[in-house]
Amino acid sequence: MKTEIIAVGTELLMGYIVNTNASDIAQELLDIGIGTYYQSVVGDNSDRINEALEIASSRSELIILSGGLGPTEDDITKHVLAEFLGEELYHDKKQLERVETYFKDQNREMTKNNYRQALTIKGGETILNDVGLAAGLIYTKEKDNKTIYYVVLPGPPFEMKHMLNEHVKPFIRSVMAKQGVITSKYINLYGVGESFVADKLSDLIETQTNPTIAIYAKPKRVTIRLTYNSETYEESEDVLDELAEQIRQRFTKHFIGYGSEQTFEKFIVDELRSHNKTLSAAESLTGGLVLEKLTNTPGAGDVIVGGFVTYQTEQKVKMLGIPESIIKEHTVVSAEVAKEMAERTLSLTGSDLAISLTGVAGPKSLDGHPLGKVFVALAAKNHPVQVAELNISNKPRNVVREVAEFEVLNLVKEFLNK
């Protein structure tokens, strides 16, 4: 099924808002074996939206529009699509009741333009918005001996994702079931490169037909996507589970979980819970990034104790009690300071494990240390402190911070594995 995504919004074209919706939609579709062939962004202009629909309808079977469903006069996506399809707009009664109830509960007057959010297209299937006000819709049209599915989703990412996962993906699965089932499974690895993974899987890749194997790389991370086409989901899951386990065994040391949305942080939280261990952190160059990502993970409250953000040197002395003599002798960017940060955090918080990060994220050097020089450490009760030196050279500031975070989490992973 050829799929096309059309993101609507002048603010996207102007760069005021980043078009994350297209990326999120494409990834979610891959999860059910649907590849996106085309993507486009158009402003809130009827002629341009209509042109985009004409082009998409000539080459795609699944067309997903996101944005332009709000209450203002420039939210015209449904209006243009209705005219394009030769259908009428009407107010969905259930969605209108939701909009009216919302304003009543908020003790606010409902202005006339808010009725637009309950609009839907005659002949289509309204998707009620469970987490917002603007209804989505699905419209099926037979054209030139082919079936085209038009899907309209809200622009706000939270609303879009909810509607996509709860309503659209099940609909697409039901359509695909009539043509056979395409299912995907994701294997996530850390600390390996794309070429290394491809080499280790060369025997499988060279002979692949169904299922197929695709490799996607990010800094120090690799995701392997397995896709299988079969008659039933049960058959697909059995085949993919068997192949996934075969691949996992080849990368046991680097494996950090299954799933298209799996993160290193989720893996660490799950591992801490399974080992009944708690973790704290002291961060310098990452400024709280590690704790933020860990605590965004469901279940973190069971295992993440807390920690310290000692961004400036004097805070390492005041908050953690590191002797100034150690910092003067070795500088703040050193194995010795990283070790002290981890040990003192372990003692102050009473956690089972404590991690620390200190280094130079940039844009300038610090105390004679170049951009990308980082030290990370792990302290654990009744174990010697582990310290690792990283040289993340020629990378932007955000990449240095991200790699530093993953490397310190990798210390936790390796410790728990032992």
Side-chain angles (χ1 to χ4, degrees):
M1 180 183 288
K2 287 186 178 179
T3 301
E4 185 153 349
I5 300 169
I6 303 173
V8 180
T10 302
E11 68 277 9
L12 300 174
L13 287 174
M14 298 298 103
Y16 289 114
I17 296 178
V18 177
N19 182 23
T20 59
N21 279 1
S23 173
D24 290 338
I25 293 169
Q27 290 182 45
E28 289 295 337
L29 292 179
L30 271 179
D31 188 48
I32 55 175
I34 302 293
T36 300
Y37 283 62
Y38 309 100
Q39 291 186 16
S40 60
V41 180
V42 295
D44 301 299
N45 178 282
S46 59
D47 291 338
R48 292 168 199 157
I49 297 173
N50 188 77
E51 183 182 7
L53 287 169
E54 287 279 5
I55 295 171
S57 301
S58 69
R59 63 190 184 188
S60 302
E61 290 88 42
L62 174 61
I63 301 167
I64 300 179
L65 298 98
S66 172
L69 312 189
T72 63
E73 291 297 323
D74 61 352
D75 290 314
I76 56 174
T77 300
K78 291 176 187 174
H79 299 74
V80 177
L81 179 59
E83 184 176 351
F84 177 81
L85 296 171
E87 295 284 6
E88 297 178 1
L89 285 169
Y90 72 98
H91 292 102
D92 182 272
K93 184 179 179 180
K94 289 184 179 179
Q95 187 64 45
L96 184 57
E97 287 176 355
R98 293 188 179 195
V99 176
E100 291 172 336
T101 299
Y102 170 81
F103 279 93
K104 182 179 180 180
D105 291 345
Q106 294 292 314
N107 228 3
R108 292 167 52 191
E109 179 184 355
M110 179 175 164
T111 55
K112 185 178 179 181
N113 57 1
N114 276 290
Y115 284 86
R116 297 166 64 94
Q117 299 190 89
L119 286 171
T120 191
I121 295 176
K122 187 176 181 180
E125 177 185 339
T126 302
I127 306 175
L128 299 179
N129 195 330
D130 301 320
V131 294
L133 299 180
L137 67 94
I138 299 172
Y139 188 95
T140 304
K141 184 179 180 67
E142 300 294 332
K143 182 179 180 181
D144 300 330
N145 296 319
K146 74 172 183 179
T147 303
I148 304 176
Y149 302 96
Y150 298 89
V151 177
V152 180
L153 298 173
F158 176 71
E159 296 180 31
M160 183 281 294
K161 289 180 183 179
H162 182 87
M163 196 174 287
L164 179 67
N165 284 299
E166 297 299 319
H167 300 281
V168 177
K169 286 175 68 175
F171 170 80
I172 296 173
R173 282 184 183 274
S174 68
V175 171
M176 295 299 295
K178 301 173 185 177
Q179 310 167 16
V181 173
I182 300 176
T183 308
S184 293
K185 190 178 184 72
Y186 297 81
I187 305 165
N188 299 282
L189 309 175
Y190 178 76
V192 288
E194 183 179 13
S195 59
F196 177 83
V197 173
D199 181 66
K200 289 291 185 181
L201 298 179
S202 59
D203 59 319
L204 299 175
I205 294 173
E206 288 170 4
T207 59
Q208 68 178 345
T209 51
N210 187 29
T212 58
I213 301 172
I215 301 171
Y216 305 94
K218 293 181 179 180
K220 305 206 74 172
R221 289 171 291 162
V222 169
T223 296
I224 304 167
R225 177 170 62 86
L226 312 178
T227 303
Y228 187 64
N229 193 338
S230 65
E231 292 186 1
T232 67
Y233 283 112
E234 291 74 19
E235 179 188 348
S236 289
E237 289 175 357
D238 289 343
V239 171
L240 291 180
D241 286 347
E242 182 179 345
L243 179 58
E245 177 58 22
Q246 182 182 347
I247 292 173
R248 187 195 66 78
Q249 291 179 5
R250 300 187 184 191
F251 300 99
T252 301
K253 180 181 177 182
H254 305 284
F255 178 73
I256 57 170
Y258 295 113
S260 59
E261 296 185 359
Q262 174 73 344
T263 65
F264 206 165
E265 297 83 15
K266 183 179 185 302
F267 175 80
I268 293 297
V269 167
D270 289 343
E271 285 291 288
L272 288 167
R273 294 178 73 185
S274 68
H275 287 82
N276 196 28
K277 298 291 184 183
T278 56
L279 177 71
S280 57
E283 302 184 54
S284 184
L285 79 153
T286 45
L289 175 70
V290 179
L291 283 171
E292 178 190 9
K293 288 188 176 181
L294 286 170
T295 54
N296 275 339
T297 303
D302 297 331
V303 293
I304 305 302
V305 174
F308 307 90
V309 177
T310 55
Y311 200 64
Q312 293 187 341
T313 300
E314 53 264 34
Q315 296 307 314
K316 295 175 179 64
V317 177
K318 291 181 180 180
M319 296 176 70
L320 298 177
I322 299 175
E324 292 185 25
S325 58
I326 292 179
I327 296 175
K328 287 180 180 178
E329 180 180 356
H330 301 286
T331 77
V332 73
V333 182
S334 64
E336 290 77 10
V337 168
K339 178 176 179 291
E340 288 284 337
M341 289 172 67
E343 284 184 322
R344 291 171 183 274
T345 299
L346 188 74
S347 176
L348 289 167
T349 62
S351 60
D352 297 308
L353 308 174
I355 53 177
S356 67
L357 309 93
T358 182
V360 189
K364 299 183 295 183
S365 61
L366 177 65
D367 291 340
H369 298 287
L371 170 66
K373 172 64 71 68
V374 177
F375 291 90
V376 296
L378 168 68
K381 293 177 179 178
N382 304 317
H383 288 81
V385 178
Q386 300 177 42
V387 182
E389 178 180 343
L390 315 175
N391 291 286
I392 316 166
S393 57
N394 301 316
K395 300 295 182 183
R397 175 181 173 85
N398 64 313
V399 174
V400 172
R401 285 157 52 95
E402 183 179 37
V403 171
E405 179 216 350
F406 290 144
E407 285 296 312
V408 80
L409 293 182
N410 196 49
L411 289 181
V412 178
K413 173 181 180 293
E414 292 180 349
F415 179 86
L416 294 175
N417 283 344
K418 294 175 181 177

